[in-house]
Amino acid sequence: MNKGALPESARRLILLPAVFIFTFLAAATAFSESFKLPPLSSPEQYGNILINRTSEKNGVKPVSFSHWIHRTKYTCRVCHLELDFNFRINSTEITEKANLDGKFCGACHNGRLAFGHTKENCTRCHNGDIAYSKARFRELSAFPKTEYGNRIDWVAAQAKGLIKPKDSLTPNFKQMPFEKKLELAAEKSGTPPAVFPHRIHTQWLDCSNCHPDIFNIKKKTTKHFSMDRIVKFEFCGVCHLRTAFPLDDCSRCHPGMK
Ligand code: HEC
Ligand code: HEC
Ligand code: HEC
Ligand code: HEC
Ligand code: HEC
Ligand code: HEC
């Protein structure tokens, strides 16, 4: 093989920066690779799901469910604690019988709190269309805006009283207030810390939605709590990729980040 006409010293001069640039690019790519965020859906579909654990197997279309419609009326706590829906699609054993018995969707879809479980309404749920409620997104057009997710600032919408989601299906329930705001310093130096306001979360959630399954109840003791796990739907990523504002909004958690 002819190694070319260049003298050894000249080749080294070209090679060295090349190796340097390559190493630098590889490191930069590895960095951004570990933060590769899932693609975002359109604002009116963010947080929408098609439940299909048993539907198609039983000859009905998958069930469309929109988080933004429901969260204007109820907090996460109502469904994800009182009604036992899991934070993972197709993992809750929702059945036709349970719904008819007043559990899961049937706790509200009983003809009193919301449309009932009757023949003319089957396809309002079983329609296989993830964009089913799209036209109704306009109803939220006056809400304060953000850049990502539903592009709605749900915290501000609640603070302004534009929505008053119920905390419970039982009357006189009072959510336990807890105000502690945590500053979670990142392991990697140079990264501005993330903030975790308990007050805003307990407006939507119960302590036991997070403790002890997702987070330990002592600051900086949760194992493997880092950004590369968060982007894989763990820790903050349980909610902040699919219903609450998405991870793309870096500075909302890391106020010091541009
Ligand atoms: C009216 C009921 C209801 C309310 C209110 C509600 N959810 Fe859900 N959520 C569901 C159902 C149903 C599922 C699907 C569960 C299943 O299929 O096992 C779900 C699934 C999820 C998932 C998993 C989505 C996926 O793609 O795997 C997340 C995350 C979630 N909810 C977060 C929230 C948060 C945060 C709130 C409050 C802002 C909230 N939910 C409010 C009913 C609700
Ligand atoms: C308020 C929403 C809603 C309504 C209305 C509704 N369903 Fe369902 N149904 C569900 C959900 C959610 C599941 C669980 C789906 C899954 O996991 O794939 C389900 C499951 C089913 C299943 C799966 C098999 C089983 O036994 O669980 C059948 C069949 C079914 N529904 C039939 C019907 C029929 C017929 C109607 C109308 C009389 C109806 N549903 C109305 C939400 C609804
Ligand atoms: C905590 C009460 C509650 C639970 C649980 C609940 N819903 Fe609803 N749902 C409502 C209310 C109230 C409305 C009417 C909201 C409105 O019209 O503004 C509604 C509306 C809907 C709509 C109509 C959206 C539209 O475009 O008009 C669908 C579809 C729906 N729910 C499906 C479901 C399914 C599927 C489940 C279970 C997986 C479920 N809901 C569980 C309270 C609930
Ligand atoms: C949305 C999730 C979430 C909810 C809901 C939540 N917490 Fe926390 N909590 C956290 C996180 C994250 C930490 C820090 C864990 C870590 O750094 O390892 C934490 C830490 C704590 C700590 C330790 C604080 C310290 O300085 O060491 C206490 C006490 C606590 N939570 C109590 C509560 C109580 C009481 C509630 C309900 C009123 C609640 N939490 C609701 C996520 C939550
Ligand atoms: C169980 C669901 C859940 C988990 C887990 C969770 N959050 Fe949230 N978070 C929410 C919801 C719901 C809101 C209300 C805003 C929205 O829905 O967009 C919120 C709001 C916030 C806000 C308020 C922004 C503002 O405008 O004031 C911050 C900051 C935040 N979350 C940071 C975190 C951090 C950091 C973690 C992980 C340590 C975390 N969250 C874990 C559900 C969750
Ligand atoms: C929902 C809140 C939230 C959002 C949004 C968020 N982060 Fe983080 N991030 C955290 C938390 C919490 C930690 C601290 C974990 C720990 O204790 O090390 C963290 C840590 C980090 C770290 C330190 C290294 C590591 O793996 O822990 C970097 C770098 C980082 N985030 C970058 C980003 C970038 C870039 C974005 C926007 C694309 C972003 N973050 C969006 C919550 C968030």
Side-chain angles (χ1 to χ4, degrees), residues 51 63-65 69-70 73-74 78-79 83 85 94 104-105 107-109 113-115 124-125 132-133 136 139 169:
I51 305 170
V63 173
S64 71
F65 177 85
I69 283 204
H70 288 89
K73 301 253 168 25
Y74 299 96
V78 171
C79 291
L83 300 178
F85 287 115
I94 314 164
F104 301 117
C105 318
C108 302
H109 287 279
L113 293 175
F115 65 81
R124 287 174 82 171
C125 292
Y132 180 69
S133 301
R136 296 195 54 191
E139 293 168 22
L169 290 177

Side-chain angles (χ1 to χ4, degrees), residues 70-128:
H70 288 89
R71 70 181 294 187
T72 61
K73 301 253 168 25
Y74 299 96
T75 65
C76 328
R77 186 191 176 279
V78 171
C79 291
H80 288 287
L81 187 85
E82 292 186 357
L83 300 178
D84 278 329
F85 287 115
N86 299 326
F87 283 134
R88 183 163 292 276
I89 188 168
N90 298 331
S91 67
T92 314
E93 291 184 25
I94 314 164
T95 60
E96 163 86 334
K97 184 176 180 306
N99 279 335
L100 283 168
D101 289 346
K103 301 198 180 90
F104 301 117
C105 318
C108 302
H109 287 279
N110 51 17
R112 279 177 284 119
L113 293 175
F115 65 81
H117 197 289
T118 47
K119 210 158 187 175
E120 69 278 12
N121 288 333
C122 305
T123 54
R124 287 174 82 171
C125 292
H126 292 279
N127 51 52

Side-chain angles (χ1 to χ4, degrees), residues 185-187 191 194 220 225-227 240 247 249-250 253-254 257:
E187 307 300 343
T191 307
K220 294 299 286 180
F225 185 13
S226 66
M227 206 59 205
H240 285 285
L247 292 177
D249 209 344
C250 314
C253 287
H254 299 277
M257 220 179 256

Side-chain angles (χ1 to χ4, degrees), residues 2-225:
N2 182 3
K3 283 188 179 173
L6 286 173
E8 182 66 17
S9 57
R11 283 204 296 128
R12 209 177 287 151
L13 263 177
I14 297 167
L15 209 64
L16 258 178
V19 165
F20 180 76
I21 288 167
F22 178 79
T23 317
F24 177 79
L25 280 179
T29 317
F31 184 80
S32 58
E33 275 297 301
S34 67
F35 289 98
K36 206 162 179 206
L37 299 170
L40 282 176
S41 40
S42 60
E44 67 277 6
Q45 268 182 48
Y46 185 74
N48 285 10
I49 49 179
L50 269 185
I51 305 170
N52 193 14
R53 191 181 62 89
T54 61
S55 291
E56 277 181 318
K57 282 185 221 152
N58 288 282
V60 286
K61 284 193 177 160
V63 173
S64 71
F65 177 85
S66 151
H67 270 97
W68 56 260
I69 283 204
H70 288 89
R71 70 181 294 187
T72 61
K73 301 253 168 25
Y74 299 96
T75 65
C76 328
R77 186 191 176 279
V78 171
C79 291
H80 288 287
L81 187 85
E82 292 186 357
L83 300 178
D84 278 329
F85 287 115
N86 299 326
F87 283 134
R88 183 163 292 276
I89 188 168
N90 298 331
S91 67
T92 314
E93 291 184 25
I94 314 164
T95 60
E96 163 86 334
K97 184 176 180 306
N99 279 335
L100 283 168
D101 289 346
K103 301 198 180 90
F104 301 117
C105 318
C108 302
H109 287 279
N110 51 17
R112 279 177 284 119
L113 293 175
F115 65 81
H117 197 289
T118 47
K119 210 158 187 175
E120 69 278 12
N121 288 333
C122 305
T123 54
R124 287 174 82 171
C125 292
H126 292 279
N127 51 52
D129 178 7
I130 194 157
Y132 180 69
S133 301
K134 194 176 176 197
R136 296 195 54 191
F137 198 63
R138 273 195 308 259
E139 293 168 22
L140 312 184
S141 59
F143 284 21
K145 299 279 180 295
T146 56
E147 221 177 310
Y148 299 100
N150 297 126
R151 302 208 188 136
I152 287 169
D153 187 333
W154 292 103
V155 176
Q158 194 178 19
K160 287 189 167 163
L162 294 167
I163 51 169
K164 293 189 182 73
K166 288 197 178 69
D167 275 338
S168 175
L169 290 177
T170 51
N172 307 323
F173 169 83
K174 199 90 189 74
Q175 175 72 287
M176 187 204 309
F178 189 67
E179 304 259 321
K180 195 160 190 179
K181 187 169 179 172
L182 306 178
E183 192 165 276
L184 303 170
E187 307 300 343
K188 277 198 190 102
S189 59
T191 307
V195 290
F196 180 83
H198 266 96
R199 187 179 59 83
I200 284 160
H201 288 89
T202 54
Q203 283 170 359
W204 291 99
L205 294 148
D206 199 273
C207 316
S208 56
N209 281 133
C210 288
H211 298 302
D213 285 358
I214 307 180
F215 300 107
N216 289 344
I217 199 149
K218 190 163 188 303
K219 197 177 150 185
K220 294 299 286 180
T221 59
T222 304
K223 286 214 178 68
H224 311 300
F225 185 13

